[in-house]
Amino acid sequence: MAQPTGRTLTAAVADLRRGWEQRSLWGHLGWQDIRQRYRRSVLGPVWITISMAVTAVALGILYSGLFDIELATFLPHVLVGFIVWNFISGCIAEGSEVFIANEGLIKHLPSPLSVHVYRLVWRQTLFFAHNLLVYLVMLLVFPQPLSWTVVAAVAAFGLLALNGAWVALAVGIITTRFRDILPITQSAVQLMFFMTPIVWIYDDLANSPNPDIAERARLAEFNPFLHFVEIIRRPLLGQDQVWRHWVVVVAITVVGWALTLFVMRRYRSRVSYWV
Amino acid sequence: MTVSEASSPVSIMTKDACVDFPIFDAKSRSLKKTVMGLVGGNIASDSKVPVIEALRDISVTLEHGARVGLVGHNGAGKSTLLRLLSGIYEPTRGVAEIRGRVAPVFDLGVGMDPEISGLENIMIRGLFLGMTRKQMEERVDDIADFTELGDFLRMPLRTYSTGMRVRLALGVVTSIDPEILLLDEGIGAVDAAFLEKSKQRLSELVGRSGLLVFASHSDEFLRELCDSAIWMEHGQIKQQGELNEVLRAYKGLPA
């Protein structure tokens, strides 16, 4: 059978499936990207871990002082939030140029578009794994009341990766056509870092005695990233699950993929013309 | 690449296939124009984008065993046609049906990473051409022998000369088992002795492949590898048929 082509849903789904079948290719390339980045350095990818540790500790100390919160509570909060945020922002920022950056490959090799996206999400997953080492060290310094609910973090990360894939596909296709979206996306991601409770604690501000602050903090509920960060951070810090966050994330996953399939159906075959 | 049953016949069929490139200048590639176009009403913002008709009404049927040469002047659409036949460009109008695993060899450098060693590059390039990791591991020694690069294979690619890179790339490309082999010219920059050696490997590769389309300006190469030909002009097929016949017409010689 020839591959389904054209502007059909079958062709879009076939692209995703065939990309998945080429796991050995993008798996290899994802590792390669990481090793490549630290090629001639002595420590290599350990630098990922080190820079995460340094940033999180510095931010933790700074903001725990500013907000007058105990470091033992605040540092774990910042660290886990920052690790999750790194994955999210990596998927969006790199996703917005995933096809533009791979122009050479797209024009020379007839591989499914999804290969480039899987490679990206896999690379971000490897970064995430490197950063998780900092979390493990943190557990030794500031032990958390972990329970069996920590396995929920695995499911949460699965959802996060699933969302990273659709965002990269959808945003990647759109920015390839409209190049102005690229800087817009990248500044939006930077801005969202501050809107998301990473260097501040949502519950503390939402329950603030000052009604103005509380009201403004609650606006963060509309920030989708809050829910993504919470579903991973809560189990990793041994806090209680809040089902609201899970519902929102699952809803975003479903709607996002539906939207992406629609975009792929229409524009997948145009990407090689646009890059 | 394209997944197909091992037993199913390899073929490429296109019917009235067109490839039109929209050329977005810096302005029209932004949202501004599209949004304003919508507000304005009738003027379709799309129609303002100039379109290059790179290929028009391409109808070809290539079956297993076809050995097709592609001739034409620069800019006639040879490379674009190869990309259409490989599935990189899906036709904007018309249809294209490709059955079989495609190995496109358009640019020897693509997918090569200067920072990693020759051996690692062999692996990556092979994976890109649709081989599995295991298949490539089996072939590495053979490729190493062919390239005559010896210990240099453990050095990063950036230390290689242009000729050494071509050797490496040719070594990988000629080691694969393609169902559909699409070759673009640009095989040069190697010394004469090596060229003889690679010619032999190239014809062996062609022998293994189910279907060959080869774009070249060299009559000698075309005669060696192909038996039929397509003559492209201004993005259209000017003539299609037996190799010598097409070559004579293309060169303006009497039949």
Side-chain angles (χ1 to χ4, degrees), chain A residues 173-236:
Chain A
I173 291 177
I174 295 166
T175 51
T176 308
R177 171 66 182 82
F178 299 104
R179 301 290 165 106
D180 298 59
I181 309 280
L182 187 61
I184 296 177
T185 321
Q186 293 181 341
S187 352
V189 172
Q190 274 174 14
L191 186 65
M192 289 313 286
F193 172 76
F194 297 99
M195 308 281 203
T196 310
I198 296 162
V199 290
W200 47 279
I201 298 180
Y202 176 66
D203 286 342
D204 285 7
L205 292 187
N207 299 325
S208 162
N210 182 337
D212 285 345
I213 293 182
E215 198 183 332
R216 206 164 289 178
R218 279 196 202 99
L219 285 178
E221 282 286 332
F222 293 106
N223 173 2
F225 300 116
L226 173 136
H227 305 281
F228 282 97
V229 172
E230 289 293 337
I231 59 167
I232 299 195
R233 184 165 53 196
R234 286 181 169 273
L236 285 182

Side-chain angles (χ1 to χ4, degrees), chain B residues 77-89:
Chain B
K78 297 189 297 293
S79 300
T80 314
L81 179 59
L82 283 178
R83 286 187 170 79
L84 173 75
L85 298 181
S86 71
I88 292 173
Y89 295 142

Side-chain angles (χ1 to χ4, degrees), chain B residues 2 7 29 37 80 89 92 98 117 136 139 156 163 180 187 251:
Chain B
T2 309
S7 56
R29 216 183 246 223
T80 314
Y89 295 142
T92 25
I98 301 149
S117 74
M136 285 317 291
R139 276 153 228 245
I180 297 173
I187 297 161
K251 307 243 166 210

Side-chain angles (χ1 to χ4, degrees), chain A residues 153-166:
Chain A
V154 179
F157 182 77
L159 278 172
L160 193 62
L162 212 54
N163 279 278
W166 78 253

Side-chain angles (χ1 to χ4, degrees), chain A:
Chain A
M1 262 303 289
Q3 282 308 316
T5 52
R7 297 185 163 188
T8 61
L9 203 58
T10 335
V13 174
D15 184 289
L16 293 172
R17 196 198 60 236
R18 287 193 300 135
W20 186 252
E21 283 164 1
Q22 287 181 274
R23 280 186 298 279
S24 60
L25 175 63
W26 53 257
H28 192 93
L29 289 171
W31 270 115
Q32 197 64 57
D33 289 337
I34 297 229
R35 274 184 287 165
Q36 165 73 32
R37 204 163 296 196
Y38 298 92
R39 179 82 14 192
R40 288 188 235 171
S41 78
V42 180
L43 291 180
V46 178
W47 277 115
I48 304 170
T49 316
I50 294 175
S51 60
M52 167 57 68
V54 170
T55 319
V57 168
L59 283 179
I61 293 173
L62 171 69
Y63 282 89
S64 74
L66 284 178
F67 288 125
D68 196 19
I69 308 170
E70 211 184 322
L71 192 64
T73 349
F74 199 64
L75 186 66
H77 176 87
V78 171
L79 177 68
V80 176
F82 207 60
I83 292 176
V84 177
W85 179 257
N86 255 19
F87 182 87
I88 295 176
S89 73
C91 283
I92 301 177
E94 289 185 13
S96 61
E97 45 188 358
V98 60
F99 302 125
I100 300 170
N102 285 308
E103 177 185 350
L105 294 179
I106 290 175
K107 280 194 176 159
H108 284 97
L109 299 162
S111 53
L113 278 184
S114 56
V115 163
H116 307 290
V117 170
Y118 293 135
R119 170 186 181 179
L120 186 160
V121 175
W122 172 235
R123 177 172 66 231
Q124 291 299 330
T125 306
L126 291 173
F127 277 127
F128 186 85
H130 279 90
N131 289 332
L132 226 45
L133 289 178
V134 188
Y135 165 76
L136 295 178
V137 173
M138 180 215 79
L139 282 184
L140 296 179
V141 184
F142 299 115
Q144 301 295 315
L146 291 185
S147 67
W148 62 271
T149 54
V150 77
V151 295
V154 179
F157 182 77
L159 278 172
L160 193 62
L162 212 54
N163 279 278
W166 78 253
V167 168
L169 266 169
V171 178
I173 291 177
I174 295 166
T175 51
T176 308
R177 171 66 182 82
F178 299 104
R179 301 290 165 106
D180 298 59
I181 309 280
L182 187 61
I184 296 177
T185 321
Q186 293 181 341
S187 352
V189 172
Q190 274 174 14
L191 186 65
M192 289 313 286
F193 172 76
F194 297 99
M195 308 281 203
T196 310
I198 296 162
V199 290
W200 47 279
I201 298 180
Y202 176 66
D203 286 342
D204 285 7
L205 292 187
N207 299 325
S208 162
N210 182 337
D212 285 345
I213 293 182
E215 198 183 332
R216 206 164 289 178
R218 279 196 202 99
L219 285 178
E221 282 286 332
F222 293 106
N223 173 2
F225 300 116
L226 173 136
H227 305 281
F228 282 97
V229 172
E230 289 293 337
I231 59 167
I232 299 195
R233 184 165 53 196
R234 286 181 169 273
L236 285 182
L237 298 181
Q239 298 163 346
D240 292 336
Q241 297 285 340
V242 177
W243 291 109
R244 185 176 77 251
H245 300 313
W246 285 90
V247 172
V248 172
V249 166
V250 169
I252 291 177
T253 314
V254 172
V255 173
W257 268 107
L259 196 80
T260 303
L261 281 173
F262 173 76
V263 172
M264 273 188 84
R265 184 180 75 90
R266 281 196 68 113
Y267 302 115
R268 178 195 53 83
S269 61
R270 303 298 294 159
V271 170
S272 57
Y273 286 79
W274 290 340
V275 288

